[in-house]
Amino acid sequence: MNMTIPTKQYELQAALFGLAAAGFYLLMIFGTLAHIETLSGLRPFDMRPGGYSAELANSLINDLGPSGRRYYLTRQIPLDLVYPSLMALTLISLFKLLGSRDVSQKLVRIGIWFSIAAAIADYLENAGICLMILSWPEISANTVLAASVASIVKTGLTTAAVLIGLLGVGFWAFRGIRNYA
């Protein structure tokens, strides 16, 4: 059985999805999110891995003003609708690559599920941000809480997926070095 074809495919997918995800990330960090921070004087929701309070959410949305709120909805959110999928596809491709290189299939499956769950949490966070902006100035405390929790969960799941991937790469690399010794 020839294992090089799937391995090369996963390498190419990981590289292409990874480059696209990095491009979107950089565009958001240095473009839309930086502009939102300049407009409001506050870090945007997307840059608050520890979540946020209802008071902070109200302040951020208020300080954005009408054009800033429109900018968040029409510039940042569309980019952040693409980025979670690209990040998940990058991680999934990396996990499949690891799986083709004799790393624990259980570790691969867990990493894939964490990657998918992180993307879902990111989409839930985005939905919450949209709801908060669209309902402002009458933001529901439950909407803020849900968006904030989604942000925290997204951060935790993404971190876990990356750590699982690094552990998998480390284990695979260590086995390769040990086999040559």
Side-chain angles (χ1 to χ4, degrees), residues 58 61-62 69 132-140:
N58 274 301
I61 295 169
N62 178 62
R69 290 189 289 274
M132 289 187 297
I133 292 172
L134 292 171
S135 65
W136 189 85
E138 302 298 323
I139 302 173
S140 158

Side-chain angles (χ1 to χ4, degrees), residues 98-166:
L98 287 172
S100 72
R101 294 194 173 164
D102 201 30
V103 170
S104 163
Q105 294 304 306
K106 184 176 183 178
L107 188 68
V108 169
R109 283 191 302 277
I110 291 169
I112 288 172
W113 281 110
F114 276 35
S115 302
I116 293 167
I120 291 168
D122 201 343
Y123 287 123
L124 292 172
E125 175 192 40
N126 292 336
I129 292 168
C130 289
L131 282 171
M132 289 187 297
I133 292 172
L134 292 171
S135 65
W136 189 85
E138 302 298 323
I139 302 173
S140 158
N142 288 334
T143 301
V144 176
L145 178 61
S148 180
V149 167
S151 183
I152 294 166
V153 169
K154 168 194 77 171
T155 301
L157 289 169
T158 301
T159 301
V162 169
L163 286 175
I164 290 167
L166 289 174

Side-chain angles (χ1 to χ4, degrees), residues 28 76-86 122-123 126-127 130:
M28 288 188 298
Q76 171 55 26
I77 293 295
L79 292 174
D80 207 13
L81 290 176
V82 176
Y83 176 74
S85 292
L86 288 174
D122 201 343
Y123 287 123
N126 292 336
C130 289

